[in-house]
Amino acid sequence: MTTQDLFGTWLLSRWDFTVDGVPRGYPMGEDAQGQIIYGTDGHMSAILMMRGRPLSEAPQFHQASPKERELAALGYISYGGTWEMRGDLVVHHVAFALFPNWIGTDLVREVSWNGVDLVLTAQPEVSRTGKTVINRLFWRRAVAASETAERRAL
């Protein structure tokens, strides 16, 4: 696994999780949307959201009601920063985040492949009930970093 394997833009094709090895469905629904970008400059950004999130009536976020802000945060993840490979792990060093507030944290993901999909698996977590929870996100390449550079040069 090399950093060149990850360069480019990836679209979420599936996100599932298991509890004690048993599939438990999809954290943001079966048709969640997402994009992760690994830049050749060592920067990355990720956005994940539930399809069909409720729209806000307020023209700007700070004008929304507390309930609208709460609903906006549900089913939405957005963060970015720098990234690095450590063997078969990719580490996201979070420098900015909208929801949730992961600023200053390192998100470690195991990297593997499932056919054409890039699979990022979060480190297993133990729930309050002592069960092991594993999140696994499947990404399909949308645009390679070299294609993006070529388009900018045109």
Side-chain angles (χ1 to χ4, degrees):
M1 179 66 54
T2 68
T3 56
Q4 280 108 3
D5 294 328
L6 298 188
F7 290 155
T9 301
W10 300 84
L11 300 176
L12 184 69
S13 61
R14 191 171 89 229
W15 177 3
D16 41 69
F17 72 106
T18 60
V19 177
D20 278 350
V22 178
R24 293 293 186 171
Y26 310 94
M28 289 192 187
E30 264 187 89
D31 60 350
Q33 298 174 304
Q35 177 177 300
I36 191 165
I37 301 169
Y38 290 108
T40 57
D41 61 357
H43 287 85
M44 61 79 55
S45 63
I47 298 172
L48 297 153
M49 68 182 216
M50 182 182 300
R51 189 181 301 270
R53 285 177 44 230
L55 298 173
S56 173
E57 298 293 321
Q60 295 189 25
F61 185 73
H62 72 276
Q63 295 171 327
S65 70
K67 186 64 176 173
E68 284 179 313
R69 285 190 292 248
E70 179 185 341
L71 289 173
L74 293 174
Y76 184 78
I77 297 172
S78 176
Y79 69 92
T82 59
W83 68 284
E84 66 175 306
M85 290 294 299
R86 294 182 187 162
D88 63 349
L89 302 175
V90 63
V91 181
H92 300 166
H93 305 289
V94 180
F96 63 89
L98 185 53
F99 296 110
N101 185 4
W102 288 335
I103 295 171
T105 63
D106 287 343
L107 304 177
V108 179
R109 306 288 184 252
E110 180 182 333
V111 178
S112 61
W113 299 94
N114 180 11
V116 297
D117 285 341
L118 165 67
V119 182
L120 300 181
T121 304
Q123 294 176 314
E125 299 176 26
V126 178
S127 70
R128 291 186 301 264
T129 60
K131 297 183 183 224
T132 302
V133 177
I134 298 177
N135 279 290
R136 189 169 284 116
L137 289 91
F138 296 78
W139 301 90
R140 182 117 344 128
R141 186 179 296 282
V143 180
S146 59
E147 293 174 39
T148 304
E150 288 172 13
R151 289 182 190 160
R152 275 185 271 184
L154 296 176

